[in-house]
Amino acid sequence: MDEYTRFVDWDKMDVTVQSQDAKELTCTEFQELKQLARQGYWAKNHSLRAKVYHKLISNIPCRTVTPDANVYRDIVVKIVGKRNSSSLPLPEFVDNSLVPTYCLNAEGIGAVRKIILCVANQFPDISFCPALPSVTALLLHYSKDEAECFEQVCRILACNDPSKRLIDQTFLAFESSCMTFGDLVNKYCQAAHKLMVAVSEDVLEVYSDWQRWLFGELPMVYVARVFDVFLVEGYKVLYRVALALLKFFHKVRAGQPMESDSVQQDIRAFVRDIAKSVSPERLLEKAFAIRLFSRKEIQLLQMANEKALQQKGITVKQKSNPKLVLLLNYCFSMFCIVFFRQNVHLAVHAENFKSEIVSVKEMRDIWSWIPERFALCQPLLLFTTLEHGCSLSRFYSHSEGHEPTLLLIKTTAKEVCGAYLSTDWSERRRGGNKLSFFGTGECFVFRLQPEVERYEWVIIKHPELATTGSEPENHASPASSTLSSSSVPSDPSDRLSPFLSARHFNLPSKTASMFMAGSSECIIIGGGDGQALYLDADLNHGRTSHCNTFNNQPLCSESFQISVLEVWGFRD
């Protein structure tokens, strides 16, 4: 065959890659590479894919001292010795991950463990990296020898470009990526998310499997196609494909009983057998049809989730005793996940929760919509008109200092609606005496009675509206035309709110970022051609209509009288 076949069992390999004529790859422009990767230009020729991998990985910016093939040749005998390579123990940081054999022959299967042990020797700062066995096994198919594969793995791990995240190497990074994936599912796979909430005891446990779907369960021909694009476009591709897998799982299994007692096991089985229902081309087509947040927005979301976990005490940065620190942090993180999250069923506990507006089940439904980092918390009643009276000033005094908050309204017609509000109400003072909008794109509005409907920020589903000139001019009502958008905090990561990139506040029309506003006269949620919610100073009357910010229908009767209003905070 060619020089890249030493570790390949061709009886297992896709026969199409053996018969294609060799091609060359001469382009260097990112956009062209991106299109070729997505189209599978080098997927049908084994030798070409090996050369492309080598070229792409060689161009990864790395630390000044990054172990290369010569280092491997120097250390492999000392580390492995004469032990049987197939029985070599893996380092703790791979967390008992699957070691996929894919289409490797016997020599290749043993070589994977040798390479991982040598990587562990050269990267003592890695504390958690369950994707490493899969990445190593995959690259070995396209390597001339073990040393070359070792060098390529090391370059991926040693990437020092802050804008190009590749593989998680700490438990903090891994767990926050799971929370970020959960947030993205909540935004882009709402039907699947609803199913996960209904059939699983812990949604986050299901979403913590997302990297295993890609780097463990996915068959060789699929994971290689994903890796083709990953090397060009980076980490965001992994989120895309995992979301597509979940969408296909929901579509294929919709209405069918679970095959096991665990949806986690069912998803794993579906991904292993994905060839029965979805081709690699169809999977990628679905993945890139998802209009995902920008890379910057996802990075901010990841930062926010990492900070939330750190505030819970989950960190592996100390290295005084690496094994002990890893063990203690892993155990403590499990404690936090189990006792602080436990899905919505324990966060909203029937014995401890009492609302005059929503039932426990309805609050759990709302809790399943909120960002993962706040789902670690329990609901805390801050204000209710039944106890604190119908006063906007008391509303502010009880709500300020809390971020985020949940607003619930029950009308005299027994309609129930509300809003998730990302930002402290004290921010309203930033505009001085001028009524001004603030908040972030995590805000959303909803109704529960007579039917359930959630309306998110319009940019999430229609990102083209953020492009200059794509949104019509604002023809807002007089009440909203006097409003302005407040300035962006200088360091959004300090606010634990991921959607504060400047473009959100420099849109062609400000109506797309009118999230929340308040004064001594009124509260407004959503703006532009109307307001999603308008409440008067006495908290007695309100209005609701379509608005540009959330592209919502009226949340209840367009003019309504308030029976009960509650504000809920989030308790650690």
Side-chain angles (χ1 to χ4, degrees), residues 188 291-293 297 441 456-467 470-471 503-504 507-509 512-513 515 548-551:
Y188 296 102
R291 307 177 76 175
L292 209 56
F293 295 139
E297 289 158 344
E456 297 182 288
W457 183 31
V458 66
I459 300 297
I460 292 174
K461 291 186 178 179
H462 299 283
E464 72 277 3
L465 295 179
T467 305
S470 62
E471 186 175 346
R503 76 182 183 91
H504 297 162
L507 297 168
S509 169
S513 58
F515 301 114
N548 292 344
T549 301
F550 301 110
N551 193 29

Side-chain angles (χ1 to χ4, degrees), residues 227-456:
F227 205 74
D228 292 346
V229 190
F230 166 73
L231 285 179
V232 176
E233 299 187 41
Y235 201 91
K236 183 178 175 180
V237 170
L238 305 182
Y239 285 133
R240 284 187 177 277
V241 176
L243 289 170
L245 287 170
L246 198 58
K247 281 179 175 284
F248 277 121
F249 172 79
H250 179 261
K251 180 180 179 180
V252 172
R253 297 293 174 82
Q256 299 180 16
M258 291 292 143
E259 295 184 354
S260 71
D261 294 334
S262 166
V263 67
Q264 199 170 12
Q265 295 298 329
D266 280 3
I267 297 175
R268 291 176 184 177
F270 171 78
V271 175
R272 282 195 301 271
D273 299 330
I274 193 171
K276 296 178 180 178
S277 53
V278 182
S279 68
E281 292 74 23
R282 184 73 185 97
L283 177 64
L284 289 179
E285 181 183 335
K286 173 69 81 173
F288 292 113
I290 300 171
R291 307 177 76 175
L292 209 56
F293 295 139
S294 72
R295 184 175 288 103
K296 179 177 181 180
E297 289 158 344
I298 291 177
Q299 287 175 341
L300 288 170
L301 181 55
Q302 185 90 13
M303 288 166 55
N305 284 331
E306 284 192 8
K307 186 166 289 189
L309 288 168
Q310 287 174 321
Q311 290 177 347
K312 297 292 184 186
I314 303 173
T315 174
V316 294
K317 292 183 177 179
Q318 300 176 18
K319 299 297 293 182
S320 56
N321 185 332
K323 291 184 179 180
L324 179 59
V325 169
L326 176 61
L327 177 62
L328 290 176
N329 277 280
Y330 181 82
C331 291
F332 186 72
S333 66
M334 289 298 98
F335 170 85
C336 289
I337 297 303
V338 171
F339 288 95
F340 286 104
R341 185 155 199 318
Q342 278 279 321
N343 192 24
V344 295
H345 292 84
L346 289 187
V348 185
H349 199 286
E351 295 179 2
N352 301 326
F353 176 77
K354 180 174 174 55
S355 167
E356 299 300 325
I357 299 178
V358 296
S359 66
V360 171
K361 180 184 181 303
E362 288 172 326
M363 193 61 149
R364 286 173 176 170
D365 288 340
I366 297 170
W367 226 248
S368 72
W369 296 336
I370 66 176
E372 286 288 346
R373 65 189 185 281
F374 297 119
L376 293 167
C377 307
Q378 295 181 352
L380 173 66
L381 183 61
L382 302 175
F383 173 85
T384 170
T385 52
L386 293 180
E387 178 181 344
H388 303 107
C390 298
S391 164
L392 192 52
S393 62
R394 284 197 288 273
F395 170 98
Y396 289 136
S397 65
H398 286 277
S399 301
E400 288 179 5
H402 295 271
E403 180 180 291
T405 53
L406 184 68
L407 175 67
L408 297 177
I409 299 168
K410 185 175 183 179
T411 72
T412 54
K414 300 189 183 303
E415 302 158 307
V416 175
C417 61
Y420 171 83
L421 304 169
S422 66
T423 306
D424 191 331
W425 278 105
S426 62
E427 284 291 305
R428 74 187 192 282
R429 300 194 187 95
R430 291 171 65 92
N433 295 325
K434 188 176 183 181
L435 187 64
S436 61
F437 274 105
F438 55 97
T440 77
E442 284 190 320
C443 294
F444 60 83
V445 295
F446 57 88
R447 64 168 174 258
L448 297 179
Q449 298 289 344
E451 69 277 332
V452 177
E453 191 69 51
R454 173 175 52 146
Y455 299 97
E456 297 182 288

